[in-house]
Amino acid sequence: MNDTMLIKEAAALWGLTERRVSDLCLKGRIEGAKKDGHIWLIPTDARKPVDQRIKSGAYIKNKKPDNLPLPIGVSDYRLAQSKYYYIDKTLMIRDFLDELPIVSLFTRPRRFGKTLNMDMLRTFFEKTDEDTSVYFKDKLIWNCGKKYRDHQGKYPVIFVSFKDIKKETWKETYHNISQLIILEFKRHSELAESDKVTDKQYYQKIVREQANQNEFEMSFFMLSKMLHDHYGTPAIIIIDEYDTPIQQGHAKGFYDEVILFMRNLFSGGLKDNRHLSYGFLTGILRVAKESIFSGLNNLVIHSVLDQKYGAYFGFTSDEVKKMAEYYHAEDKYDEIREWYDGYRFGNTEIFNPWSVINYFSNHCQPRAFWQATGSNEIIGEILSDADAEIYARLSSLLQGGSFLTYIDTSVIYPQIKNNPSSIYSFLLVAGYLKAIRSELSFTGDFMCEVALPNKEVSLVYNKEVLQKLSAIVSPSAAASIQEALCLCDAGLLKKQLETLLIQSASFYDTIGENFYHGLMLGLCAALSSKYYVTSNRESGDGRYDIQLMPKEPDMPGILIELKMGKKSTDLKKLANTALQQIADRKYDTELTAHGIHTIYRFGVAFSGKKVEIAVI
C-alpha cells in the first residue's frame, strides 16, 4: 500500500491549490514531506497545516512569516523557481512559439535576467531523461494550451554562456571559449556511443582537447549535426552573452582575432544550418555591422527599443509591487521607483531586477548595486576623448535634462570613440540612458530623446565623471578651483589652473579650445550638488560657454566665457574681451530672471599652459 501522496492529491484532499501545497512543502510546514528528485512525496496521514491566523481573521503579529530567499546571482532556472522568490517569465516561451523565428537575438543591459531566461528556455525545450515538465506545470505557460506544451522536452539543446569570458589576451580568451565548447560536447556524452552518429572521430578530438582552431570554429555546426543524427530532431542552439568576449577584445587589444573566430563559429551554427531548429542569442550590443551574422537573413533582433519581449527582461511595475508586498515593504515602492525604475523596453516600464533584489536583501537600504556588477571602462574611454559638446550633454543629464540624438542599435565598439552618436547609442543599449520617446528614422534606426533612468544611474555617472577627472585633477586641486569660482578669486583660479595644466596636460592636450572647455565644464560639474551646470545655452543675445545656476537663491550665480589665444602675450586682452562679451550679449539674462542678484562673471583666456582671468 502506497503511504505517500503527490502534491496534486494533497491539494484535492485539503481543498488547497497545488501551488499552495508546494509552498507549504518548501517552508517545511507539512510534517514528513520529502523531496524525491524534483517531486514532493507527502505522507498520506499528514495533517493539513493549520492556518496561522486567529479566529478573528487578524494575522498573528509576533511571528514573522518565512519568506523565500532572494535569488541574488542565481541564473539556474530550476533552482530559481523551486528555492527562491521567482517572477514568472515563462510567457516568453508562448510569444516565441507564436512566431517561431529561426534565430532570435535579445539585446539588454547586464544583470537584466538574460542568462536566467536562456536557462529557462533550455529547461523547457531540452530532451532529457528527466521529466522537466514539473518545472513548468505551475507556471503561466502551462495554462496556455496543448499547442505550447507539445514543445516541452522535445529538442536536443546546445547551451553555451560567454558571460564570464573576460580575459586579458586572445590566447586566454580562446582557451576559455574552447573549454566551454569541450564541456558542452561532454554534456552530450550519449553521442560517443551512438550508432547513429558518424562523426565520432571529430567528437573525440574535441573532448580530448586535440582539435585546432578551425575545428573549434565548426563546433556548433558539427555538434548540432550529431545531435540531429542521434535524436532525429534538429537542435536548438542557445548562446548567452555572446558579445562579452568581443567587448573584452576591444578593451584589451585583440578585437580582430575574437571577431574572426566568432564570425566563423556563429556562421557555422546559425547560417543555413539544416540541423538547426531554432537559435537564441543574448548580449548587450547588436554587432551586425561587424559581419558576425553576415548573410544570416533568418535573424530577428529584439533591442531595448523594440516592442516585443519588453516585459521579459527586468521587472515590471506590477511585479515590483507584488514583490514589495511579499517582503512586507509596500511603503517602500516609491523609493524603489526613484532609485531603480525608469527603463523603457519598447513601451514597457522596467525596473532594474538586480538592484531591486539587492535592495530587498539589503533591508531596503538604497544603494547603487548595479554599479559594482561590471566594468565601466567604456565611460572612461568616452570621457578620455570627449569634446565640449559631450561634456555639456553629460552635464545636462546630471542636472535632470534630456536631449534628442540619433540612435544606431547596431553600434560597434570601434565606432564609440569616433562618432558622437555612437556614444549615446552605446549608453542607451548598455543601460546608462533611457529613451523617453523614440521615432523610427528613414535609415531604419531611431531618433530618441534620452535621459538618465534613475537615481542609481545618476550616481554611476557622478562617480565615473569624477573618477575620470581625478586621473588628471587631484581632489585638492579640484577643490581649490571650485573654491576660487565660488569666491570670485581671479588670482587663486589663475594659479590653480596653471598648476593643473603644467602637472597634468601634455602639449598635445592643449591644442584645441574643446580641451579647455571640457576641462572647465568637468570641474564645474563637480559642483552639481549646489548648482545647475549648463553649457552652450542661449541667454540674452547669444550663447554662453558655461553657466552655474545656484540651487539656493542666496548663492552667487556664475558665468564663464572662454577664449583661446596663440600667444601668451595676448591673454589679458582676450580675457577682457571674454568678460565684455558676457556684458554685451547679456548672458546674465537667465540668472537675473531667476532672481539671482549676485553674479560672478569670469573671462578666461588660455594659451598652451598659460592662463589669464578677468572678473567682475
PDB file of all heavy atoms in Angstrom, residues 518-550:
ATOM      1  N   GLY A 518      36.081  71.530 -22.147  1.00  0.00           N
ATOM      2  CA  GLY A 518      35.747  70.278 -21.473  1.00  0.00           C
ATOM      3  C   GLY A 518      36.325  70.214 -20.072  1.00  0.00           C
ATOM      4  O   GLY A 518      35.660  69.750 -19.134  1.00  0.00           O
ATOM      5  N   LEU A 519      37.565  70.708 -19.914  1.00  0.00           N
ATOM      6  CA  LEU A 519      38.186  70.700 -18.599  1.00  0.00           C
ATOM      7  C   LEU A 519      37.407  71.572 -17.614  1.00  0.00           C
ATOM      8  O   LEU A 519      37.087  71.157 -16.502  1.00  0.00           O
ATOM      9  CB  LEU A 519      39.624  71.193 -18.700  1.00  0.00           C
ATOM     10  CG  LEU A 519      40.406  71.258 -17.385  1.00  0.00           C
ATOM     11  CD1 LEU A 519      40.611  69.868 -16.813  1.00  0.00           C
ATOM     12  CD2 LEU A 519      41.737  71.974 -17.599  1.00  0.00           C
ATOM     13  N   MET A 520      37.064  72.786 -18.028  1.00  0.00           N
ATOM     14  CA  MET A 520      36.328  73.689 -17.148  1.00  0.00           C
ATOM     15  C   MET A 520      34.937  73.147 -16.838  1.00  0.00           C
ATOM     16  O   MET A 520      34.453  73.226 -15.703  1.00  0.00           O
ATOM     17  CB  MET A 520      36.218  75.074 -17.796  1.00  0.00           C
ATOM     18  CG  MET A 520      37.518  75.853 -17.845  1.00  0.00           C
ATOM     19  SD  MET A 520      38.247  76.166 -16.208  1.00  0.00           S
ATOM     20  CE  MET A 520      36.941  77.121 -15.415  1.00  0.00           C
ATOM     21  N   LEU A 521      34.285  72.602 -17.851  1.00  0.00           N
ATOM     22  CA  LEU A 521      32.942  72.066 -17.639  1.00  0.00           C
ATOM     23  C   LEU A 521      32.985  70.883 -16.681  1.00  0.00           C
ATOM     24  O   LEU A 521      32.120  70.732 -15.810  1.00  0.00           O
ATOM     25  CB  LEU A 521      32.318  71.659 -18.977  1.00  0.00           C
ATOM     26  CG  LEU A 521      30.847  71.263 -18.952  1.00  0.00           C
ATOM     27  CD1 LEU A 521      29.992  72.413 -18.453  1.00  0.00           C
ATOM     28  CD2 LEU A 521      30.389  70.818 -20.324  1.00  0.00           C
ATOM     29  N   GLY A 522      33.999  70.030 -16.825  1.00  0.00           N
ATOM     30  CA  GLY A 522      34.127  68.896 -15.917  1.00  0.00           C
ATOM     31  C   GLY A 522      34.368  69.335 -14.483  1.00  0.00           C
ATOM     32  O   GLY A 522      33.803  68.769 -13.542  1.00  0.00           O
ATOM     33  N   LEU A 523      35.192  70.358 -14.297  1.00  0.00           N
ATOM     34  CA  LEU A 523      35.427  70.891 -12.955  1.00  0.00           C
ATOM     35  C   LEU A 523      34.153  71.477 -12.369  1.00  0.00           C
ATOM     36  O   LEU A 523      33.845  71.288 -11.187  1.00  0.00           O
ATOM     37  CB  LEU A 523      36.522  71.961 -13.007  1.00  0.00           C
ATOM     38  CG  LEU A 523      37.946  71.447 -13.269  1.00  0.00           C
ATOM     39  CD1 LEU A 523      38.857  72.594 -13.669  1.00  0.00           C
ATOM     40  CD2 LEU A 523      38.486  70.728 -12.048  1.00  0.00           C
ATOM     41  N   CYS A 524      33.385  72.167 -13.200  1.00  0.00           N
ATOM     42  CA  CYS A 524      32.137  72.760 -12.726  1.00  0.00           C
ATOM     43  C   CYS A 524      31.094  71.689 -12.417  1.00  0.00           C
ATOM     44  O   CYS A 524      30.263  71.858 -11.516  1.00  0.00           O
ATOM     45  CB  CYS A 524      31.592  73.746 -13.756  1.00  0.00           C
ATOM     46  SG  CYS A 524      32.610  75.232 -13.946  1.00  0.00           S
ATOM     47  N   ALA A 525      31.133  70.581 -13.177  1.00  0.00           N
ATOM     48  CA  ALA A 525      30.153  69.506 -12.950  1.00  0.00           C
ATOM     49  C   ALA A 525      30.262  68.945 -11.542  1.00  0.00           C
ATOM     50  O   ALA A 525      29.281  68.460 -10.975  1.00  0.00           O
ATOM     51  CB  ALA A 525      30.340  68.393 -13.985  1.00  0.00           C
ATOM     52  N   ALA A 526      31.453  69.049 -10.944  1.00  0.00           N
ATOM     53  CA  ALA A 526      31.624  68.564  -9.579  1.00  0.00           C
ATOM     54  C   ALA A 526      30.863  69.420  -8.572  1.00  0.00           C
ATOM     55  O   ALA A 526      30.722  69.029  -7.413  1.00  0.00           O
ATOM     56  CB  ALA A 526      33.108  68.539  -9.233  1.00  0.00           C
ATOM     57  N   LEU A 527      30.375  70.587  -9.005  1.00  0.00           N
ATOM     58  CA  LEU A 527      29.579  71.451  -8.136  1.00  0.00           C
ATOM     59  C   LEU A 527      28.086  71.208  -8.295  1.00  0.00           C
ATOM     60  O   LEU A 527      27.269  72.026  -7.872  1.00  0.00           O
ATOM     61  CB  LEU A 527      29.899  72.928  -8.449  1.00  0.00           C
ATOM     62  CG  LEU A 527      31.318  73.394  -8.110  1.00  0.00           C
ATOM     63  CD1 LEU A 527      31.596  74.754  -8.740  1.00  0.00           C
ATOM     64  CD2 LEU A 527      31.517  73.457  -6.603  1.00  0.00           C
ATOM     65  N   SER A 528      27.730  70.081  -8.904  1.00  0.00           N
ATOM     66  CA  SER A 528      26.325  69.841  -9.253  1.00  0.00           C
ATOM     67  C   SER A 528      25.412  69.710  -8.038  1.00  0.00           C
ATOM     68  O   SER A 528      24.193  69.819  -8.162  1.00  0.00           O
ATOM     69  CB  SER A 528      26.198  68.585 -10.121  1.00  0.00           C
ATOM     70  OG  SER A 528      26.668  67.448  -9.422  1.00  0.00           O
ATOM     71  N   SER A 529      25.984  69.468  -6.843  1.00  0.00           N
ATOM     72  CA  SER A 529      25.131  69.397  -5.655  1.00  0.00           C
ATOM     73  C   SER A 529      24.618  70.785  -5.270  1.00  0.00           C
ATOM     74  O   SER A 529      23.583  70.906  -4.607  1.00  0.00           O
ATOM     75  CB  SER A 529      25.901  68.779  -4.486  1.00  0.00           C
ATOM     76  OG  SER A 529      27.015  69.586  -4.137  1.00  0.00           O
ATOM     77  N   LYS A 530      25.333  71.828  -5.693  1.00  0.00           N
ATOM     78  CA  LYS A 530      24.955  73.194  -5.341  1.00  0.00           C
ATOM     79  C   LYS A 530      24.446  74.001  -6.530  1.00  0.00           C
ATOM     80  O   LYS A 530      23.767  75.020  -6.354  1.00  0.00           O
ATOM     81  CB  LYS A 530      26.155  73.925  -4.726  1.00  0.00           C
ATOM     82  CG  LYS A 530      26.670  73.296  -3.437  1.00  0.00           C
ATOM     83  CD  LYS A 530      27.878  74.056  -2.902  1.00  0.00           C
ATOM     84  CE  LYS A 530      28.398  73.427  -1.615  1.00  0.00           C
ATOM     85  NZ  LYS A 530      29.593  74.148  -1.089  1.00  0.00           N
ATOM     86  N   TYR A 531      24.806  73.584  -7.752  1.00  0.00           N
ATOM     87  CA  TYR A 531      24.484  74.366  -8.944  1.00  0.00           C
ATOM     88  C   TYR A 531      23.885  73.486 -10.040  1.00  0.00           C
ATOM     89  O   TYR A 531      24.201  72.299 -10.138  1.00  0.00           O
ATOM     90  CB  TYR A 531      25.748  75.029  -9.505  1.00  0.00           C
ATOM     91  CG  TYR A 531      26.258  76.205  -8.703  1.00  0.00           C
ATOM     92  CD1 TYR A 531      27.219  76.025  -7.705  1.00  0.00           C
ATOM     93  CD2 TYR A 531      25.787  77.487  -8.941  1.00  0.00           C
ATOM     94  CE1 TYR A 531      27.690  77.104  -6.966  1.00  0.00           C
ATOM     95  CE2 TYR A 531      26.257  78.583  -8.215  1.00  0.00           C
ATOM     96  CZ  TYR A 531      27.205  78.379  -7.225  1.00  0.00           C
ATOM     97  OH  TYR A 531      27.663  79.447  -6.495  1.00  0.00           O
ATOM     98  N   TYR A 532      23.054  74.098 -10.872  1.00  0.00           N
ATOM     99  CA  TYR A 532      22.650  73.508 -12.150  1.00  0.00           C
ATOM    100  C   TYR A 532      23.678  73.979 -13.177  1.00  0.00           C
ATOM    101  O   TYR A 532      23.760  75.171 -13.483  1.00  0.00           O
ATOM    102  CB  TYR A 532      21.254  73.958 -12.546  1.00  0.00           C
ATOM    103  CG  TYR A 532      20.180  73.553 -11.563  1.00  0.00           C
ATOM    104  CD1 TYR A 532      19.597  74.503 -10.715  1.00  0.00           C
ATOM    105  CD2 TYR A 532      19.739  72.240 -11.482  1.00  0.00           C
ATOM    106  CE1 TYR A 532      18.617  74.140  -9.809  1.00  0.00           C
ATOM    107  CE2 TYR A 532      18.753  71.864 -10.580  1.00  0.00           C
ATOM    108  CZ  TYR A 532      18.197  72.821  -9.740  1.00  0.00           C
ATOM    109  OH  TYR A 532      17.226  72.470  -8.841  1.00  0.00           O
ATOM    110  N   VAL A 533      24.464  73.049 -13.685  1.00  0.00           N
ATOM    111  CA  VAL A 533      25.558  73.396 -14.583  1.00  0.00           C
ATOM    112  C   VAL A 533      25.108  73.179 -16.024  1.00  0.00           C
ATOM    113  O   VAL A 533      24.699  72.075 -16.402  1.00  0.00           O
ATOM    114  CB  VAL A 533      26.801  72.532 -14.289  1.00  0.00           C
ATOM    115  CG1 VAL A 533      27.967  72.977 -15.177  1.00  0.00           C
ATOM    116  CG2 VAL A 533      27.179  72.619 -12.824  1.00  0.00           C
ATOM    117  N   THR A 534      25.165  74.232 -16.839  1.00  0.00           N
ATOM    118  CA  THR A 534      24.769  74.132 -18.239  1.00  0.00           C
ATOM    119  C   THR A 534      25.838  74.762 -19.121  1.00  0.00           C
ATOM    120  O   THR A 534      26.665  75.563 -18.657  1.00  0.00           O
ATOM    121  CB  THR A 534      23.418  74.824 -18.495  1.00  0.00           C
ATOM    122  OG1 THR A 534      23.461  76.163 -17.987  1.00  0.00           O
ATOM    123  CG2 THR A 534      22.284  74.081 -17.809  1.00  0.00           C
ATOM    124  N   SER A 535      25.806  74.379 -20.394  1.00  0.00           N
ATOM    125  CA  SER A 535      26.835  74.836 -21.321  1.00  0.00           C
ATOM    126  C   SER A 535      26.222  75.097 -22.692  1.00  0.00           C
ATOM    127  O   SER A 535      25.301  74.388 -23.129  1.00  0.00           O
ATOM    128  CB  SER A 535      27.930  73.773 -21.429  1.00  0.00           C
ATOM    129  OG  SER A 535      28.885  74.128 -22.399  1.00  0.00           O
ATOM    130  N   ASN A 536      26.750  76.135 -23.357  1.00  0.00           N
ATOM    131  CA  ASN A 536      26.334  76.455 -24.725  1.00  0.00           C
ATOM    132  C   ASN A 536      24.820  76.623 -24.842  1.00  0.00           C
ATOM    133  O   ASN A 536      24.211  76.146 -25.807  1.00  0.00           O
ATOM    134  CB  ASN A 536      26.813  75.372 -25.706  1.00  0.00           C
ATOM    135  CG  ASN A 536      28.316  75.411 -25.902  1.00  0.00           C
ATOM    136  OD1 ASN A 536      28.911  76.490 -25.925  1.00  0.00           O
ATOM    137  ND2 ASN A 536      28.928  74.253 -26.020  1.00  0.00           N
ATOM    138  N   ARG A 537      24.227  77.289 -23.890  1.00  0.00           N
ATOM    139  CA  ARG A 537      22.786  77.569 -23.918  1.00  0.00           C
ATOM    140  C   ARG A 537      22.554  79.028 -24.292  1.00  0.00           C
ATOM    141  O   ARG A 537      23.378  79.900 -24.012  1.00  0.00           O
ATOM    142  CB  ARG A 537      22.154  77.296 -22.548  1.00  0.00           C
ATOM    143  CG  ARG A 537      22.230  75.852 -22.096  1.00  0.00           C
ATOM    144  CD  ARG A 537      21.108  75.023 -22.688  1.00  0.00           C
ATOM    145  NE  ARG A 537      21.093  73.693 -22.117  1.00  0.00           N
ATOM    146  CZ  ARG A 537      20.403  73.370 -21.022  1.00  0.00           C
ATOM    147  NH1 ARG A 537      19.698  74.286 -20.379  1.00  0.00           N
ATOM    148  NH2 ARG A 537      20.424  72.133 -20.547  1.00  0.00           N
ATOM    149  N   GLU A 538      21.393  79.292 -24.892  1.00  0.00           N
ATOM    150  CA  GLU A 538      21.029  80.658 -25.238  1.00  0.00           C
ATOM    151  C   GLU A 538      20.594  81.432 -24.005  1.00  0.00           C
ATOM    152  O   GLU A 538      19.842  80.929 -23.168  1.00  0.00           O
ATOM    153  CB  GLU A 538      19.897  80.662 -26.267  1.00  0.00           C
ATOM    154  CG  GLU A 538      20.333  80.180 -27.638  1.00  0.00           C
ATOM    155  CD  GLU A 538      19.234  80.332 -28.674  1.00  0.00           C
ATOM    156  OE1 GLU A 538      18.179  80.915 -28.336  1.00  0.00           O
ATOM    157  OE2 GLU A 538      19.425  79.876 -29.802  1.00  0.00           O
ATOM    158  N   SER A 539      21.083  82.662 -23.896  1.00  0.00           N
ATOM    159  CA  SER A 539      20.658  83.578 -22.850  1.00  0.00           C
ATOM    160  C   SER A 539      20.970  84.987 -23.325  1.00  0.00           C
ATOM    161  O   SER A 539      22.086  85.245 -23.808  1.00  0.00           O
ATOM    162  CB  SER A 539      21.383  83.290 -21.533  1.00  0.00           C
ATOM    163  OG  SER A 539      20.947  84.179 -20.518  1.00  0.00           O
ATOM    164  N   GLY A 540      20.018  85.890 -23.225  1.00  0.00           N
ATOM    165  CA  GLY A 540      20.220  87.231 -23.756  1.00  0.00           C
ATOM    166  C   GLY A 540      20.320  87.189 -25.263  1.00  0.00           C
ATOM    167  O   GLY A 540      19.463  86.608 -25.942  1.00  0.00           O
ATOM    168  N   ASP A 541      21.419  87.746 -25.801  1.00  0.00           N
ATOM    169  CA  ASP A 541      21.582  87.833 -27.254  1.00  0.00           C
ATOM    170  C   ASP A 541      22.613  86.842 -27.793  1.00  0.00           C
ATOM    171  O   ASP A 541      23.170  87.047 -28.885  1.00  0.00           O
ATOM    172  CB  ASP A 541      22.003  89.263 -27.628  1.00  0.00           C
ATOM    173  CG  ASP A 541      20.961  90.301 -27.239  1.00  0.00           C
ATOM    174  OD1 ASP A 541      19.752  89.964 -27.297  1.00  0.00           O
ATOM    175  OD2 ASP A 541      21.348  91.423 -26.873  1.00  0.00           O
ATOM    176  N   GLY A 542      22.884  85.794 -27.069  1.00  0.00           N
ATOM    177  CA  GLY A 542      23.863  84.833 -27.559  1.00  0.00           C
ATOM    178  C   GLY A 542      23.851  83.547 -26.767  1.00  0.00           C
ATOM    179  O   GLY A 542      22.893  83.239 -26.053  1.00  0.00           O
ATOM    180  N   ARG A 543      24.966  82.812 -26.862  1.00  0.00           N
ATOM    181  CA  ARG A 543      25.098  81.521 -26.173  1.00  0.00           C
ATOM    182  C   ARG A 543      26.350  81.573 -25.300  1.00  0.00           C
ATOM    183  O   ARG A 543      27.465  81.729 -25.804  1.00  0.00           O
ATOM    184  CB  ARG A 543      25.230  80.376 -27.178  1.00  0.00           C
ATOM    185  CG  ARG A 543      24.019  80.220 -28.091  1.00  0.00           C
ATOM    186  CD  ARG A 543      24.288  79.197 -29.198  1.00  0.00           C
ATOM    187  NE  ARG A 543      24.394  77.860 -28.678  1.00  0.00           N
ATOM    188  CZ  ARG A 543      23.362  77.020 -28.541  1.00  0.00           C
ATOM    189  NH1 ARG A 543      22.152  77.408 -28.898  1.00  0.00           N
ATOM    190  NH2 ARG A 543      23.542  75.820 -28.052  1.00  0.00           N
ATOM    191  N   TYR A 544      26.139  81.473 -24.003  1.00  0.00           N
ATOM    192  CA  TYR A 544      27.275  81.485 -23.081  1.00  0.00           C
ATOM    193  C   TYR A 544      28.021  80.161 -23.161  1.00  0.00           C
ATOM    194  O   TYR A 544      27.498  79.145 -23.613  1.00  0.00           O
ATOM    195  CB  TYR A 544      26.810  81.746 -21.644  1.00  0.00           C
ATOM    196  CG  TYR A 544      25.741  80.788 -21.140  1.00  0.00           C
ATOM    197  CD1 TYR A 544      26.044  79.477 -20.797  1.00  0.00           C
ATOM    198  CD2 TYR A 544      24.417  81.206 -21.003  1.00  0.00           C
ATOM    199  CE1 TYR A 544      25.078  78.603 -20.339  1.00  0.00           C
ATOM    200  CE2 TYR A 544      23.435  80.332 -20.543  1.00  0.00           C
ATOM    201  CZ  TYR A 544      23.776  79.037 -20.212  1.00  0.00           C
ATOM    202  OH  TYR A 544      22.816  78.162 -19.749  1.00  0.00           O
ATOM    203  N   ASP A 545      29.266  80.187 -22.671  1.00  0.00           N
ATOM    204  CA  ASP A 545      30.049  78.946 -22.620  1.00  0.00           C
ATOM    205  C   ASP A 545      29.605  78.069 -21.450  1.00  0.00           C
ATOM    206  O   ASP A 545      29.235  76.908 -21.638  1.00  0.00           O
ATOM    207  CB  ASP A 545      31.544  79.260 -22.506  1.00  0.00           C
ATOM    208  CG  ASP A 545      32.159  79.605 -23.857  1.00  0.00           C
ATOM    209  OD1 ASP A 545      31.584  79.200 -24.886  1.00  0.00           O
ATOM    210  OD2 ASP A 545      33.201  80.267 -23.888  1.00  0.00           O
ATOM    211  N   ILE A 546      29.658  78.617 -20.226  1.00  0.00           N
ATOM    212  CA  ILE A 546      29.279  77.835 -19.045  1.00  0.00           C
ATOM    213  C   ILE A 546      28.507  78.726 -18.077  1.00  0.00           C
ATOM    214  O   ILE A 546      28.901  79.863 -17.825  1.00  0.00           O
ATOM    215  CB  ILE A 546      30.514  77.250 -18.328  1.00  0.00           C
ATOM    216  CG1 ILE A 546      31.308  76.329 -19.266  1.00  0.00           C
ATOM    217  CG2 ILE A 546      30.102  76.480 -17.066  1.00  0.00           C
ATOM    218  CD1 ILE A 546      32.626  75.853 -18.688  1.00  0.00           C
ATOM    219  N   GLN A 547      27.421  78.190 -17.554  1.00  0.00           N
ATOM    220  CA  GLN A 547      26.648  78.901 -16.535  1.00  0.00           C
ATOM    221  C   GLN A 547      26.414  77.986 -15.347  1.00  0.00           C
ATOM    222  O   GLN A 547      26.105  76.804 -15.514  1.00  0.00           O
ATOM    223  CB  GLN A 547      25.297  79.353 -17.092  1.00  0.00           C
ATOM    224  CG  GLN A 547      24.363  79.971 -16.041  1.00  0.00           C
ATOM    225  CD  GLN A 547      23.007  80.341 -16.598  1.00  0.00           C
ATOM    226  OE1 GLN A 547      22.849  81.393 -17.210  1.00  0.00           O
ATOM    227  NE2 GLN A 547      22.034  79.465 -16.394  1.00  0.00           N
ATOM    228  N   LEU A 548      26.536  78.533 -14.137  1.00  0.00           N
ATOM    229  CA  LEU A 548      26.215  77.825 -12.912  1.00  0.00           C
ATOM    230  C   LEU A 548      25.049  78.538 -12.253  1.00  0.00           C
ATOM    231  O   LEU A 548      25.211  79.629 -11.690  1.00  0.00           O
ATOM    232  CB  LEU A 548      27.424  77.783 -11.960  1.00  0.00           C
ATOM    233  CG  LEU A 548      28.494  76.697 -12.240  1.00  0.00           C
ATOM    234  CD1 LEU A 548      29.235  76.986 -13.536  1.00  0.00           C
ATOM    235  CD2 LEU A 548      29.482  76.604 -11.080  1.00  0.00           C
ATOM    236  N   MET A 549      23.876  77.923 -12.348  1.00  0.00           N
ATOM    237  CA  MET A 549      22.661  78.463 -11.744  1.00  0.00           C
ATOM    238  C   MET A 549      22.544  77.911 -10.327  1.00  0.00           C
ATOM    239  O   MET A 549      22.435  76.696 -10.144  1.00  0.00           O
ATOM    240  CB  MET A 549      21.442  78.060 -12.562  1.00  0.00           C
ATOM    241  CG  MET A 549      20.105  78.445 -11.934  1.00  0.00           C
ATOM    242  SD  MET A 549      19.691  80.180 -12.120  1.00  0.00           S
ATOM    243  CE  MET A 549      19.310  80.238 -13.887  1.00  0.00           C
ATOM    244  N   PRO A 550      22.604  78.766  -9.296  1.00  0.00           N
ATOM    245  CA  PRO A 550      22.559  78.250  -7.923  1.00  0.00           C
ATOM    246  C   PRO A 550      21.219  77.611  -7.590  1.00  0.00           C
ATOM    247  O   PRO A 550      20.167  78.080  -8.033  1.00  0.00           O
ATOM    248  CB  PRO A 550      22.805  79.494  -7.073  1.00  0.00           C
ATOM    249  CG  PRO A 550      22.396  80.643  -7.929  1.00  0.00           C
ATOM    250  CD  PRO A 550      22.704  80.233  -9.344  1.00  0.00           C
TER     251      PRO A 550
END
